[in-house]
Amino acid sequence: MLAELYQRVGPRLYRYALAVLGDPGEAEDAVQDVFTRMAEAGTRPERPEHYLLRAVRNEALGRRGKARRRLALLQEGAPILLPREAGDAGLAGFARRAAQALAGLPHEQREAVALHTSE
C-alpha cells in the first residue's frame, strides 16, 4: 500500500524537494525520511498526497535551514572546529588557522566541510 503511494507521488515529491534544496542527495533523503516516518507511524492520513507534500516541504525547508546555519557557522570563523576541551592553546591555534583556511574556500567546499564536521 505504501509502495503504491510512493510509486504514484514519489517522483513529484522528489522534484519538489530538489527545487527547494537544490541537491539531489538531500532531496532523496528528505523524501525517504518522510515516507519512513509515515511507515513507522503505522497510520495513513485521510489525504495522503496532501500530507506527504506538506511533510516533504517541511522536511526540505528544515534541511535547507540546517545547511544555512552550518554555512553561517563556517563564515563566522568555524566555531565547529574549536576544541571541545577548553585550555588547549595548541588546538585552539590550529582551529583558528583552520577557520582562516576555510574562509578562503569557495562556497561549495565550505559547505561540504560544514556537512562533514557537524553531526
Side-chain angles (χ1 to χ4, degrees):
M1 192 176 277
L2 194 57
E4 178 185 308
L5 182 60
Y6 181 81
Q7 291 291 327
R8 191 170 65 243
V9 297
R12 179 175 151 223
L13 294 171
Y14 169 77
R15 286 190 302 273
Y16 178 75
L18 182 59
V20 171
L21 293 165
D23 179 286
E26 281 291 310
E28 288 174 6
D29 289 347
V31 173
Q32 179 179 351
D33 286 352
V34 167
F35 271 93
T36 299
R37 284 194 302 271
M38 188 175 177
E40 289 171 348
T43 59
R44 187 164 173 167
E46 188 176 314
R47 297 169 66 186
E49 285 124 5
H50 293 156
Y51 165 82
L52 287 167
L53 183 59
R54 277 192 318 271
V56 167
R57 177 187 181 274
N58 292 340
E59 180 71 21
L61 291 175
R63 285 172 178 268
R64 189 173 70 182
K66 284 181 185 178
R68 284 184 178 163
R69 286 189 294 280
R70 283 188 214 112
L71 184 57
L73 287 174
L74 282 176
Q75 291 171 336
E76 292 170 6
I80 57 176
L81 295 176
L82 293 178
R84 296 185 192 279
E85 297 175 22
D88 188 338
L91 201 49
F94 172 78
R96 279 192 296 281
R97 289 189 305 278
Q100 291 170 345
L102 285 171
L105 292 175
H107 165 77
E108 294 82 13
Q109 291 175 355
R110 282 194 315 266
E111 188 172 2
V113 170
L115 290 170
H116 181 72
T117 56
S118 63
E119 299 188 37

